[in-house]
Amino acid sequence: MPKVIAVLGVGPGLGLSIARRFGREGFTTALVSRTDTRHASYRETLSGTPTHTYAADVTHPARLEAVLARITAEAGEIDTVYFGPADASGPGITPLTSAGADTVRAAFDAIVSPAVRLVEAVLPGMLERGSGSLLFAGGLSGKYPMPMLGSLAPASAALRMYVLTLNAALRETGVYAGALTIGGLIERGDIHREFTKQDHGFAAGTLDPDDIADKAWSLYAGREEAEAEFNAMAAV
């Protein structure tokens, strides 16, 4: 049976490139996004790769659990999950000098909590099998101080350390966890489109999502590196 990768938060940039890269290696792909608006185009792009598409808000606990169950029932047992549900219309950026507890917590609720719930849902089965992989996309502000990313930085840092610690904790189990730490605008992605419409006060270069997906595959195949960094930020 082909292995299954669940791509949570798929978009026209990195998520689709991840699906395409793993599909080339014989994986069945299960793509999850908030709406099904672009699913037909995604399936067309991945023509030749067995592909299932699902509409679900993975920040909602019950919907995350339900979509994972559907993927398992329809596509097969999940070998790998990629978590990258960046949302250009999400909580937005507030300077830390004016961000209160509620603002900072909103970023945690949108970024960190869904990642932990995902692990809570899929890790027991992976540990029982002694195999599986967990890949997470996060922001460079989780590694370097970047004041211009304000209220997003604490959540980015928490996600990054969560994944790195998970990698260390899983080292002898056969299950792998890895972080893609990204600084820059990912070409073809929704955030790239939104940010190029207006001046957000900082300069960011662009990154090719196919290059990041190639590295994601290398992390998966090698299972030795806990993190890959992609830095196109002029400020870092």
Side-chain angles (χ1 to χ4, degrees):
M1 290 286 293
K3 291 182 177 180
V4 175
I5 180 170
V7 181
L8 306 185
V10 67
L14 182 53
L16 195 56
S17 287
I18 292 282
R20 186 184 300 110
R21 183 65 183 86
F22 278 73
R24 291 211 315 263
E25 302 294 336
F27 276 68
T28 293
T29 62
L31 313 182
V32 183
S33 57
R34 289 175 183 268
T35 72
D36 62 3
T37 305
R38 295 182 290 200
H39 286 178
S41 66
Y42 294 163
R43 291 191 297 268
E44 183 177 353
T45 298
L46 294 168
S47 177
T49 296
T51 300
H52 303 255
T53 52
Y54 304 88
D57 179 356
V58 298
T59 67
H60 188 286
R63 292 168 192 165
L64 172 63
E65 184 177 344
V67 78
L68 292 172
R70 284 190 61 197
I71 291 169
T72 301
E74 298 171 10
E77 192 171 62
I78 299 171
D79 171 83
T80 300
V81 292
Y82 163 79
F83 178 85
D87 182 2
S89 64
I93 298 171
T94 301
L96 276 182
T97 52
S98 57
D102 289 345
T103 300
V104 173
R105 186 172 62 244
F108 273 78
D109 290 343
I111 296 170
V112 182
S113 296
V116 177
R117 290 190 196 103
L118 170 62
V119 173
E120 185 179 17
V122 301
L123 183 56
M126 291 180 175
L127 289 173
E128 184 176 348
R129 298 192 307 269
S131 65
S133 294
L134 305 154
L135 297 171
F136 299 83
L140 201 64
S141 64
K143 185 173 183 180
Y144 302 105
M146 299 173 68
M148 60 282 197
L149 291 179
S151 55
L152 297 182
S156 294
L159 177 63
R160 176 176 178 267
M161 189 50 62
Y162 174 70
V163 178
L164 296 185
T165 306
L166 195 59
N167 174 278
L170 293 171
R171 195 161 291 150
E172 305 300 325
T173 68
V175 181
Y176 170 78
L180 303 169
T181 300
I182 300 167
L185 300 177
I186 299 174
E187 296 168 5
R188 305 192 295 272
D190 291 331
I191 292 178
H192 176 266
R193 185 186 68 248
E194 291 299 320
F195 268 63
T196 52
K197 287 180 181 177
Q198 51 191 302
D199 182 8
H200 286 262
F202 64 95
T206 60
L207 297 164
D208 185 336
D210 293 338
D211 292 341
I212 301 175
D214 281 340
K215 184 60 181 178
W217 174 257
S218 295
L219 292 180
Y220 169 87
R223 310 177 83 79
E224 294 182 357
E225 299 175 84
E227 179 180 26
E229 179 184 313
F230 308 87
N231 188 348
M233 300 293 293
V236 176

